[in-house]
Amino acid sequence: MKKFFNSLVFKLIVAVILGLLVGLFSNEGIISIIITIKSILGQIIIFAVPLIIIGFIAPSIAKLKSNASKLLGYAVLIAYLSSVGAALFSAFAGYNIIPKLSIINSSEGLKKLPELIFKLDIPPIMSVMSALALSILVGLATAWTKSDLVEKLLIQFQNIVLSIVEKVIIPILPIFILTTFASLSYEGSITSQLPIFIKVIVIVLIGHFIWLTVLYSIGGFISKENPINVIKKYGLAYLTAVGTMSSAATLPVALTCAKSCPELREDIVDFSIPLCANIHLCGSVLTEVFFVMTVSQVLYGELPKVSTMLIFIILLGIFAIGAPGVPGGTVMASLGLITGVLGFTEAGTALMLTIFALQDSFGTACNVTGDGAIALMLTGIANKKKL
């Protein structure tokens, strides 16, 4: 229980509740202070976005060469296709379900926010797309030239960025969420939509199980093994992931579960499960796509265009491969896409971070359980090709 009270989820829940209450009972003077704090914290988060992109994507690409295996290409391709497939499935569901949720355009009839007390501009060092292009090119060039020194530098830079996320971004998130929800509550744009987000979380959970069914069905077809036997062994890993909200923290349990499956080759398990814990985030991607569409409808009154969502999904698959296996890793790595491709404002970003974090444990559980399906696919491929 003590661990839960110290968790990010509990802090965010408290921040949401306090933010709603503060916004309801605040006057114009108090709100002007709150939105000024929100603006400063938002500037810090946005400034860190290009650093996060470079720190997560470039070293992940550079490290691919170190896993010298013919199965590496299959594993990365399957993980990417699984994430993109889950995202497309989620987007298709979003375009068909979200318009039927009776979401009222919250941009009409809102109370006007007061002016900021002062404005502090902290521009990012580069644009989102520049950071992505730099990450891909540097990562690929490092792998091609086998530049061990640069690879080590990129890994160290990744640790530095991860430290910034853990010691700066994560601690200020509850305050940023509190101030954001206070401003949304003051405007009147969020209180009427809370039941919608509860429905959306339930819909996403159902989507997780549908996608896991798809993955294990494909795994069974490729391997000619009964996928249900593998699913049964993964119950403990699923529950552990729900508790830890981290693919990395769940890895020891996931390995134990996978090794207890006679349908999976042990050498494939040793290779694929640790790798997929970092590159296969189908549940998180499925969740993020449905949530960004919902937030867009709630705050901006419309769903993103199909062409915009396709670009977002294709790039999100790449970002997911580079995202760290820590709580909130996927949405943190893709903040640049949320702001750069979808054009979300600070309010949209904060709302997205909040609802994603509140269900992150179930997305992680889907990721971890889906790794067993990929191990099943790779077992079938390795046996057929005699690898």
Side-chain angles (χ1 to χ4, degrees):
M1 186 62 69
K2 184 178 179 181
K3 187 176 181 181
F4 172 73
F5 288 141
N6 291 327
S7 68
L8 179 62
V9 171
F10 177 74
K11 292 176 183 177
L12 291 180
I13 292 174
V14 172
V16 170
I17 295 173
L18 288 178
L20 292 174
L21 293 175
V22 169
L24 286 174
F25 298 104
S26 293
N27 56 32
E28 187 172 314
I30 294 175
I31 283 295
S32 63
I33 297 173
I34 289 174
I35 62 174
T36 301
I37 296 173
K38 178 174 78 75
S39 176
I40 295 172
L41 297 181
Q43 290 281 322
I44 294 172
I45 293 173
I46 297 301
F47 174 82
V49 167
L51 301 178
I52 293 172
I53 293 172
I54 298 171
F56 290 165
I57 303 295
S60 298
I61 296 174
K63 285 188 292 186
L64 291 181
K65 72 174 184 65
S66 61
N67 296 306
S69 169
K70 291 183 179 179
L71 284 176
L72 175 62
Y74 289 113
V76 173
L77 179 61
I78 291 172
Y80 178 79
L81 291 177
S82 174
S83 294
V84 171
L88 290 172
F89 165 68
S90 183
F92 177 79
Y95 282 116
N96 287 276
I97 295 175
I98 293 174
K100 300 177 182 178
L101 294 179
S102 302
I103 298 175
I104 303 171
N105 185 352
S106 60
S107 62
E108 299 177 2
L110 301 181
K111 189 186 296 185
K112 187 176 180 181
L113 289 172
E115 296 291 330
L116 298 175
I117 296 176
F118 66 90
K119 188 174 182 181
L120 179 65
D121 288 324
I122 312 175
I125 57 174
M126 65 179 70
S127 69
V128 169
M129 296 311 295
S130 295
L132 177 59
L134 178 64
S135 301
I136 294 174
L137 292 177
V138 170
L140 288 174
T142 302
W144 292 335
T145 58
K146 299 181 180 180
S147 302
D148 294 334
L149 177 59
V150 175
E151 182 181 340
K152 291 178 182 177
L153 289 174
L154 289 174
I155 293 172
Q156 290 183 344
F157 182 68
Q158 184 180 54
N159 293 333
I160 292 172
V161 172
L162 194 55
S163 178
I164 293 174
V165 171
E166 292 175 345
K167 297 183 183 300
V168 178
I169 305 301
I170 297 298
I172 69 175
L173 268 182
I175 304 173
F176 181 57
I177 298 303
L178 189 154
T179 55
T180 300
F181 271 78
S183 62
L184 291 174
S185 177
Y186 179 83
E187 287 180 308
S189 61
I190 191 63
T191 50
S192 62
Q193 303 292 359
L194 287 179
I196 295 296
F197 288 112
I198 296 175
K199 292 179 183 179
V200 167
I201 290 175
V202 173
I203 292 170
V204 165
L205 290 178
I206 296 172
H208 289 169
F209 290 110
I210 294 175
W211 190 250
L212 286 175
T213 301
V214 171
L215 288 181
Y216 275 95
S217 298
I218 296 173
F221 176 78
I222 294 175
S223 65
K224 309 301 180 184
E225 299 283 355
N226 187 354
I228 296 178
N229 295 334
V230 180
I231 295 175
K232 289 179 180 178
K233 300 288 186 178
Y234 255 84
L236 181 59
Y238 186 93
L239 293 176
T240 303
V242 170
T244 63
M245 293 190 298
S246 168
S247 299
T250 310
L251 182 55
V253 178
L255 278 170
T256 301
C257 293
K259 287 186 176 183
S260 67
C261 302
E263 294 80 10
L264 303 178
R265 270 175 42 177
E266 187 171 352
D267 58 335
I268 299 297
V269 168
D270 290 337
F271 162 76
S272 62
I273 299 302
L275 177 66
C276 289
N278 291 284
I279 69 171
H280 182 227
L281 305 174
C282 61
S284 298
V285 167
L286 186 153
T287 301
E288 182 169 340
V289 167
F290 201 87
F291 280 180
V292 295
M293 295 177 72
T294 304
V295 170
S296 178
Q297 182 68 49
V298 168
L299 293 186
Y300 312 124
E302 61 181 2
L303 294 173
K305 294 179 180 179
V306 174
S307 58
T308 302
M309 282 304 301
L310 287 176
I311 295 172
F312 178 77
I313 287 170
I314 292 171
L315 294 177
L316 183 60
I318 298 173
F319 276 58
I321 290 176
V326 299
T330 308
V331 72
M332 281 294 176
S334 62
L335 277 178
L337 295 181
I338 294 174
T339 57
V341 176
L342 297 180
F344 274 27
T345 60
E346 290 179 2
T349 303
L351 189 55
M352 182 63 208
L353 287 169
T354 304
I355 60 173
F356 187 92
L358 293 179
Q359 67 73 56
D360 190 29
S361 56
F362 296 101
T364 302
C366 180
N367 299 339
V368 170
T369 307
D371 295 345
I374 292 186
L376 194 59
M377 296 179 203
L378 292 175
T379 295
I381 291 172
N383 289 337
K384 289 178 182 178
K385 296 185 176 293
K386 298 180 180 180
L387 297 178

